[in-house]
Amino acid sequence: MIDLYLCHGNVYVWNASAACDLRERHRIVGTFVGALPRLPRQNVRLGRPLQLMPEETTLLLNKGIARLLDGNIPPKTGEDAAQAVTEHRQQSFREQAEICRNDRKRKLHEMASVIAKGRAAKRKKLAQKEKADDESSSSVSTSDVTSSTWDEHEEEEEPRLSVEEMKELEAKLEKTTGYNEQAFLVQIMTEQVSEETQETIPWNYPTTDTEALRCHVFQDLWEKGYFLTSGGKFGGDFLVYPGDPFRYHSFYIAVCRPRTENMEALDIVRLGRLGSNVKKTVLLCSESETGEINYTSLQWTGMN
Amino acid sequence: MRIAVSQIRSGEFVVIVVTLQITQRGANAQELLAHRNLDRTVPPRGGTKDYAPDRSHEQEEKLQGMYSLYRRMLAEERVNKIGNLSKAIWLEDQGLAEVTVDKGKFWHHIGHTNKGKKYLYPEEAVFLMETNAIEVYWNKLPLAIQQAYAMMLGNRVSMEQYQVYAHLSRLGYILTRHQSREHFSWYERQIQLDEYIPLKQRIKEGSRAEVRDWFPSNQHDEQTTSTSGELDKTEEVHRDNPATREVKSASDSPVEHSTSNQTPRDSLPKDQTSRMKGRIEESVEDEQMEIECNRKDKIEKQEEKEVNSLVTLSYEYKWDFTNITIPNVGQDCDVSEIPIPSAELLPTGVQVNTVLKINTGAFSLNTKRGRKGKSNSEHLSKIVPNLRAEDDPRKVSRNWMEFKQMCGAKREMDMSDSPVAHLWQGEVTPLVRPSDATDMGAILSRLQVIQNISLEKECSSLPKPDRYLDIAYDVFLPDSHFKKSKPGRPNLRVCVQRFSEPAPDLALIVQLNQRSSPVPLLWAVVDNGDISFYSFTEADLPADYHM
């Protein structure tokens, strides 16, 4: 059961997997209105919460896919709640510290061979320097060179850190790893953590005839298998997509009109022009006397 | 905690994707640390879409790719080091968040101070939470974004207003709540007075010594009435202060004049003058204090100017304005009379016998540019009628028919020998006559059947708008030199509406544009999460044509 929250007149979905399920399984698209945590300062892709149209909410509640909860309930407060949060955080810090320490140890072991090579090279350089100081009086330099190369061949095998050296390095690591509380990671929760059961609240959406017509048209088109989003940008009530809006353009602009209302010719020309300019078909939707939805499409033809 | 590992083969590379499925209890340490190395790219908007679903495998793959990407992206949380997060406390009764720990650079353009404490408006606080910059506590509990939406928004800031605020702030604009008054006029800004007078001082001053409060109709009843004794006190203060020596010399004469001119004071309503004086004294005293404190020359000069103007008002007028009439040259009056002035005001030898009637309708300013000299003479002929008595149709004609004939006769006369005279024989006649072809302007003005009006001028004649709409925000372009103490004039103003609300009528548009001019006003219309911006500007059709 998907949880919808009514907050100051708008319906939001806060749970990430619920938002994805709504789209993937129930063909309800909605609009994301929050900042995306991965990249907050852009408007191309927004994140949670997902805001639903009132028609979408009505449909979900009617079909029993979701339930409506009160989004205005303040969190439970009190000393124990604050205490629980502090404890949870301290626990998290301890775990983070542990994981970081283990990470560093693991890295140390991975780099062991590199450290060993470096130490060996350093030792060799020191030895050579000492030799050069000792034999500075000797004029024969080539013998030195041959002797040094012969030394190299001897130590051809992989230099390794001895167990004592390893322990020494690990001890050093322990000393340098401090417990700086300012460096620990903390999360700003998006969704509210609530363990207790919540009561559903009533949904009073279609109050006027226009709203009821819109809901009915939305449900009818949804049942035919389309994806629907709000159509304000195109001057209509809904945009009707054959498939997910991620991958397809919309085919229709649905405009809801009561059956008894007279439409002016100017209205029809306006809608027809709009549709043809954006390469979409305008659907005039009205409810018949029997309660069915009738669709009329507008197509702009030239004069022949 | 569940970590799902999935493999995606793309070309040669096998990508192992770790999906974080953070449960409701919040992420644990492992997941928090995993947030350090997240992919920070978002799929771009745009690109080609398919036409229609055809159940093909490629389409299905692309769609599933999008779905899994979104699942990952949405599940990620806002994770930050404690050292980077600021802290604030939500004060519910005040509707503000008080900042206790301030890290990061947001204080440069967000927030305000009051009595030494730092505060954030609710929309600012929620925005900073969403951008992972601040933790807001309430009763010692850190709030989640869901709780912040419920508790902090909705009361003073509607959800739509917050959405517009967040949308523009994410793009980088600096938004402040709408300040309905510009405290410095354009002229003062030009002479850089705003650099010398701090905004706070101007706001404090402005509440007491405003020009419009000098007029009796705007007086409040609570103002203290003061007697003439107080005026003398301010004179004392004047003279004692060494810094105002220049002030004193300039204003000496009017001040002395006031003490001698006791009688004309009675001509104006007593309570009003005393009220006016009371207010002016307060501000005069203020000026004195400020002069003492500030030794800057420029401020002194400005204060001197103000004190001068205030002091001249505080003594009684030399003229009795109830007996002096000022002719009404407004647009509501067509003809006004200037009465004969009294003899003592005229220079010797000059006599005025008749009352002068002027056609004030002709005083309306001609805003069209490029009027040639000919039209000036047209104007003059309206003001100073020099028609001879026999030519004046009003005097000569005995009835309406004759009057019309006489008025139209002059124009009719030219038609008889013109080759296009036949056009005027039917019922429908052309608007333009050959005699009108003096210049393009004359022809175009004849053709202008529907008069263009400028909405700004005519806005008083429009009916009152049916509802009241607030301008929500002042928008400034992203600027590193932006100072909260002296923001200056905003680049844009925004007012917010829901899509379901009715569209604004002409009166509302004109009223809001006026309120916001010269700054352009944008209307942000929120349609269930989608924001569109509209603006209404006056378009000018060409009125004159220069060849």
Side-chain angles (χ1 to χ4, degrees):
Chain A
M1 185 63 102
I2 294 173
D3 287 340
L4 309 179
Y5 290 90
L6 177 62
C7 179
H8 302 300
N10 292 337
V11 177
Y12 296 110
V13 179
W14 288 96
N15 187 286
S17 55
C20 294
D21 283 340
L22 275 179
R23 191 177 193 131
E24 291 173 31
R25 284 191 221 142
H26 304 290
R27 281 184 288 118
I28 296 289
V29 178
T31 329
F32 285 105
V33 296
L36 193 64
R38 166 193 281 217
L39 204 52
R41 297 232 174 209
Q42 43 88 29
N43 282 320
V44 176
R45 300 279 175 195
L46 296 176
R48 286 178 283 158
L50 180 74
Q51 184 172 345
L52 297 182
M53 284 195 288
E55 292 83 20
E56 292 173 327
T57 315
T58 316
L59 179 88
L60 288 172
L61 294 176
N62 285 346
K63 301 278 177 186
I65 300 171
R67 62 175 184 158
L68 187 63
L69 302 170
D70 189 2
N72 292 333
I73 295 180
K76 221 174 35 155
T77 56
E79 273 308 311
D80 42 336
Q83 192 69 18
V85 166
T86 332
E87 271 176 22
H88 177 78
R89 286 206 171 168
Q90 292 297 326
Q91 169 75 7
S92 172
F93 296 161
R94 282 193 292 268
E95 286 177 18
Q96 285 179 41
E98 185 65 37
I99 297 176
C100 284
R101 201 179 308 131
N102 292 341
D103 269 346
R104 289 183 74 168
K105 239 190 232 175
R106 196 168 33 87
K107 209 153 192 200
L108 179 65
H109 283 271
E110 280 171 21
M111 306 284 283
S113 53
V114 179
I115 297 173
K117 273 205 198 119
R119 286 198 173 176
K122 212 176 182 184
R123 257 181 266 143
K124 220 192 297 172
K125 262 208 201 125
L126 277 174
Q128 278 179 0
K129 225 181 160 194
E130 281 176 16
K131 256 198 217 158
D133 288 339
D134 285 345
E135 301 170 359
S136 58
S137 52
S138 161
S139 54
V140 183
S141 54
T142 48
S143 58
D144 295 340
V145 173
T146 49
S147 67
S148 61
T149 50
W150 178 70
D151 284 331
E152 260 178 45
H153 282 299
E154 250 196 29
E155 298 164 30
E156 205 49 80
E157 355 139 346
E158 197 74 27
R160 264 211 215 110
L161 288 177
S162 63
V163 180
E164 297 87 33
E165 282 177 329
M166 203 55 168
K167 284 228 166 47
E168 184 195 317
L169 281 171
E170 279 177 12
K172 229 194 243 176
L173 198 66
E174 286 289 332
K175 255 201 289 184
T176 53
T177 318
Y179 192 86
N180 177 16
E181 208 174 279
Q182 294 289 309
F184 285 120
L185 298 173
V186 121
Q187 172 195 8
I188 299 177
M189 304 275 298
T190 310
E191 199 189 347
Q192 184 172 348
V193 170
S194 65
E195 283 119 19
E196 48 203 34
T197 50
Q198 296 181 53
E199 299 269 321
T200 61
I201 54 173
W203 173 237
N204 302 322
Y205 176 56
T207 47
T208 68
D209 283 334
T210 352
E211 293 173 356
L213 175 62
R214 283 177 62 130
C215 276
H216 196 170
V217 169
F218 186 92
Q219 179 161 342
D220 200 58
L221 285 169
W222 183 86
E223 281 167 355
K224 291 185 168 28
Y226 293 105
F227 284 69
L228 291 127
T229 57
S230 75
K233 284 227 170 84
F234 286 92
D237 287 306
F238 305 113
L239 285 181
V240 185
Y241 293 80
D244 195 303
F246 276 152
R247 295 298 316 154
Y248 307 102
H249 290 293
S250 59
F251 279 173
Y252 308 110
I253 305 172
V255 176
C256 303
R257 288 272 185 270
R259 178 175 42 91
T260 50
E261 187 191 273
N262 287 335
M263 275 190 79
E264 292 183 353
L266 207 55
D267 269 342
I268 297 185
V269 171
R270 210 181 279 146
L271 291 172
R273 268 291 192 196
L274 177 59
S276 61
N277 273 347
V278 297
K279 297 195 197 74
K280 297 185 204 296
T281 311
V282 174
L283 276 186
L284 295 169
C285 318
S286 328
E287 192 170 326
S288 69
E289 284 138 345
T290 55
E292 282 181 352
I293 303 285
N294 294 332
Y295 300 100
T296 317
S297 63
L298 287 182
Q299 198 181 25
W300 193 272
T301 59
M303 292 244 291
N304 288 337
Chain B
M1 175 209 43
R2 276 167 278 150
I3 299 186
V5 181
S6 46
Q7 277 185 307
I8 299 174
R9 278 189 194 278
S10 80
E12 297 182 340
F13 304 101
V14 174
V15 177
I16 296 180
V17 168
V18 177
T19 322
L20 304 170
Q21 288 175 12
I22 298 168
T23 58
Q24 278 198 323
R25 290 205 116 276
N28 68 5
Q30 182 81 25
E31 290 157 343
L32 286 181
L33 289 167
H35 274 93
R36 283 183 303 183
N37 309 319
L38 283 179
D39 181 15
R40 297 269 169 193
T41 61
V42 285
R45 257 248 151 89
T48 49
K49 290 187 180 179
D50 298 316
Y51 175 66
D54 56 1
R55 297 168 191 276
S56 70
H57 188 58
E58 294 101 8
Q59 284 191 358
E60 188 63 30
E61 257 194 19
K62 285 188 202 153
L63 193 59
Q64 289 304 320
M66 250 335 227
Y67 282 160
S68 57
L69 176 61
Y70 251 78
R71 266 194 197 267
R72 256 180 294 135
M73 263 188 356
L74 292 176
E76 287 162 10
E77 294 282 339
R78 280 160 255 263
V79 174
N80 208 342
K81 288 192 194 164
I82 295 188
N84 293 343
L85 282 176
S86 315
K87 283 197 180 42
I89 302 177
W90 174 245
L91 306 168
E92 200 155 337
D93 43 344
Q94 293 181 44
L96 296 169
E98 185 189 333
V99 178
T100 50
V101 174
D102 180 11
K103 300 265 176 80
K105 298 181 245 174
F106 65 84
W107 196 251
H108 169 250
H109 54 274
I110 290 181
H112 60 283
T113 331
N114 194 354
K115 297 199 180 107
K117 295 193 183 173
K118 294 183 179 175
Y119 292 101
L120 292 172
Y121 287 122
E123 68 267 17
E124 298 172 336
V126 179
F127 174 69
L128 288 172
M129 279 176 78
E130 285 205 297
T131 48
N132 207 5
I134 199 173
E135 262 189 315
V136 180
Y137 285 82
W138 180 71
N139 283 1
K140 296 191 197 146
L141 279 180
L143 288 176
I145 309 253
Q146 180 177 355
Q147 294 159 341
Y149 267 51
M151 290 179 52
M152 294 161 73
L153 300 176
N155 305 324
R156 296 161 185 90
V157 181
S158 73
M159 305 305 285
E160 282 75 31
Q161 282 177 340
Y162 170 68
Q163 247 186 300
V164 172
Y165 178 88
H167 178 94
L168 289 172
S169 298
R170 278 193 286 261
L171 292 174
Y173 293 100
I174 300 170
L175 286 172
T176 57
R177 285 199 176 170
H178 176 56
Q179 307 297 318
S180 53
R181 225 168 11 139
E182 283 184 13
H183 295 281
F184 290 101
S185 65
W186 173 83
Y187 176 65
E188 286 171 342
R189 246 189 275 261
Q190 231 193 4
I191 58 174
Q192 292 191 320
L193 195 61
D194 55 342
E195 314 258 341
Y196 287 95
I197 300 187
L199 193 58
K200 281 192 186 160
Q201 183 179 327
R202 178 47 75 93
I203 294 177
K204 196 167 65 102
E205 268 177 46
S207 60
R208 276 191 257 184
E210 276 185 47
V211 173
R212 64 177 192 219
D213 291 331
W214 291 347
F215 294 106
S217 54
N218 285 336
Q219 298 267 337
H220 295 299
D221 290 334
E222 314 91 66
Q223 278 309 312
T224 53
T225 57
S226 58
T227 59
S228 53
E230 279 198 34
L231 184 57
D232 300 327
K233 197 168 71 169
T234 53
E235 284 175 300
E236 300 293 338
V237 180
H238 250 289
R239 279 185 215 123
D240 287 344
N241 201 327
T244 59
R245 223 162 279 145
E246 334 163 48
V247 178
K248 198 188 71 157
S249 56
S251 60
D252 232 351
S253 35
V255 170
E256 284 170 347
H257 204 125
S258 74
T259 48
S260 59
N261 247 1
Q262 297 290 324
T263 37
R265 197 178 292 169
D266 300 344
S267 57
L268 275 180
K270 215 172 195 176
D271 45 342
Q272 282 184 354
T273 46
S274 46
R275 254 188 259 148
M276 256 197 291
K277 270 201 299 164
R279 298 188 106 225
I280 288 155
E281 253 117 76
E282 279 177 39
S283 37
V284 164
E285 278 171 7
D286 273 351
E287 312 299 358
Q288 301 308 319
M289 296 298 290
E290 278 143 11
I291 289 170
E292 282 170 343
C293 303
N294 296 320
R295 293 263 154 195
K296 273 194 178 163
D297 285 345
K298 283 200 181 160
I299 289 192
E300 269 188 68
K301 284 205 186 102
Q302 198 249 354
E303 300 301 297
E304 169 200 345
K305 187 176 72 156
E306 274 189 14
V307 167
N308 252 343
S309 55
L310 293 171
V311 167
T312 46
L313 256 179
S314 69
Y315 75 95
E316 253 4 287
Y317 304 102
K318 217 166 124 187
W319 311 102
D320 178 9
F321 282 120
T322 50
N323 290 337
I324 298 176
T325 55
I326 299 171
N328 182 3
V329 290
Q331 283 185 337
D332 54 339
C333 176
D334 269 332
V335 176
S336 78
E337 286 186 0
I338 300 180
I340 302 172
S342 57
E344 68 227 19
L345 298 172
L346 290 173
T348 50
V350 175
Q351 259 189 336
V352 179
N353 294 325
T354 55
V355 166
L356 184 62
K357 283 206 179 105
I358 50 175
N359 184 2
T360 50
F363 277 121
S364 61
L365 291 174
N366 180 17
T367 53
K368 293 184 189 164
R369 278 169 283 160
R371 279 277 169 137
K372 310 268 196 307
K374 235 180 235 176
S375 36
N376 275 336
S377 63
E378 266 180 36
H379 263 244
L380 281 175
S381 61
K382 279 194 205 163
I383 298 171
V384 180
N386 52 6
L387 286 178
R388 291 175 299 169
E390 52 258 42
D391 286 345
D392 191 350
R394 287 173 290 177
K395 301 226 168 86
V396 174
S397 55
R398 285 161 297 175
N399 54 34
W400 184 238
M401 285 257 299
E402 275 192 37
F403 179 69
K404 279 200 335 190
Q405 271 171 10
M406 280 200 75
C407 283
K410 235 185 174 181
R411 291 185 76 203
E412 295 289 344
M413 268 192 288
D414 304 319
M415 289 316 308
S416 45
D417 51 353
S418 162
V420 290
H422 63 279
L423 290 174
W424 273 263
Q425 284 164 2
E427 269 187 27
V428 181
T429 57
L431 285 169
V432 186
R433 293 167 190 274
S435 57
D436 293 328
T438 44
D439 57 87
M440 277 305 287
I443 294 181
L444 285 177
S445 61
R446 281 254 163 251
L447 291 176
Q448 208 172 31
V449 175
I450 302 170
Q451 293 292 320
N452 267 357
I453 59 171
S454 161
L455 278 178
E456 284 154 9
K457 283 194 203 155
E458 303 293 323
C459 67
S460 51
S461 60
L462 288 170
K464 274 236 177 293
D466 50 355
R467 61 198 160 110
Y468 181 74
L469 196 59
D470 253 331
I471 299 181
Y473 299 113
D474 293 341
V475 181
F476 299 86
L477 296 182
D479 187 7
S480 57
H481 300 299
F482 176 80
K483 288 203 197 110
K484 278 187 292 188
S485 53
K486 195 174 50 118
R489 173 176 286 169
N491 300 97
L492 285 175
R493 292 208 168 101
V494 179
C495 65
V496 180
Q497 258 203 302
R498 292 183 91 152
F499 195 74
S500 46
E501 285 172 17
D505 58 346
L506 184 64
L508 187 62
I509 295 171
V510 170
Q511 184 195 63
L512 283 183
N513 272 345
Q514 277 250 296
R515 226 192 285 169
S516 166
S517 77
V519 174
L521 177 69
L522 282 185
W523 296 67
V525 178
V526 185
D527 173 28
N528 254 300
D530 275 325
I531 306 178
S532 324
F533 290 97
Y534 298 96
S535 74
F536 298 97
T537 49
E538 233 182 282
D540 258 335
L541 296 175
D544 206 332
Y545 182 83
H546 296 280
M547 296 218 237

